Amino acid sequence: MTIDLEKANEIVARFKDVEGALLECLHALQHSFGYVPAETLDIMADGFNISRAEVHGVISYYHDFKTSPTGRTVVRVCQAEACQSMGSRHLSEHVQKKLGINMGETGADGNYSLEAVYCFGNCALSPNIEIDGKLHARVGPDKFDEIINAGEKL
Ligand code: FES
């Protein structure tokens, strides 16, 4: 997939002369493309006068940045302690099998991305799962199937 390089150049040009604005630039790129495309690393390196490796280092340090397109539906499963004690590990296995992808992956058809999250702040109602930004509490495999089947994306 090719990206709109003109748009990427415009975004980098907006930030490149502002001191310490690399993070803002990365956020702007991700906002615009849905992720930080590999093609933009050289543009940032040139613009900010740093090495490509330095840009890459910043991207990998912050977990918020995605380096590949995300699926049309993003499923995030809590892996933190309270949810784990209520079965989120079992739920995660089920979700991976159901969607046919592992944590951190996007399906080849682009329908789903699956992400691990470490606490939604809703521990009292564990295990928690978020689908397209909507939090679902006390989710077991059956409830997950119901929610996903209602979305009819499988
Ligand atoms: S541990 Fe899962 S929401 Fe807090």
Side-chain angles (χ1 to χ4, degrees):
M1 194 170 80
T2 54
I3 62 152
D4 183 347
L5 285 174
E6 200 175 312
K7 187 157 84 174
N9 275 304
E10 273 171 30
I11 293 169
V12 174
R14 251 193 282 147
F15 294 97
K16 71 184 179 65
D17 297 321
V18 182
E19 201 175 319
L22 180 60
L23 276 181
E24 276 180 81
C25 182
L26 286 164
H27 280 293
L29 286 165
Q30 179 154 292
H31 182 74
S32 185
F33 293 102
Y35 67 109
V36 180
E39 297 92 323
T40 63
L41 266 66
D42 285 334
I43 301 172
M44 280 185 279
D46 282 353
F48 286 90
N49 205 19
I50 55 179
S51 71
R52 185 186 161 91
E54 281 172 286
V55 179
H56 186 263
V58 173
I59 293 170
S60 31
Y61 182 78
Y62 294 97
H63 298 291
D64 277 353
F65 296 120
K66 301 177 192 319
T67 53
S68 58
T70 49
R72 284 176 279 285
T73 295
V74 178
V75 176
R76 306 167 84 209
V77 187
C78 183
Q79 307 291 310
E81 207 174 316
C83 284
Q84 261 197 38
S85 72
M86 295 301 283
S88 75
R89 203 170 278 178
H90 175 61
L91 174 65
S92 299
E93 282 166 17
H94 174 81
V95 170
Q96 291 179 111
K97 213 178 277 175
K98 177 96 177 163
L99 301 183
I101 48 176
N102 293 319
M103 281 298 165
E105 289 183 355
T106 296
D109 56 8
N111 277 344
Y112 291 97
S113 288
L114 185 55
E115 297 175 1
V117 171
Y118 294 88
C119 197
F120 288 111
N122 197 37
C123 316
L125 300 175
S126 300
N128 289 283
I129 197 164
E130 187 192 83
I131 301 175
D132 278 343
K134 184 169 184 236
L135 191 63
H136 299 267
R138 292 204 168 113
V139 179
D142 291 347
K143 186 167 173 185
F144 175 75
D145 288 354
E146 266 173 44
I147 298 166
I148 285 296
N149 290 340
E152 291 173 359
K153 284 186 183 164
L154 282 173

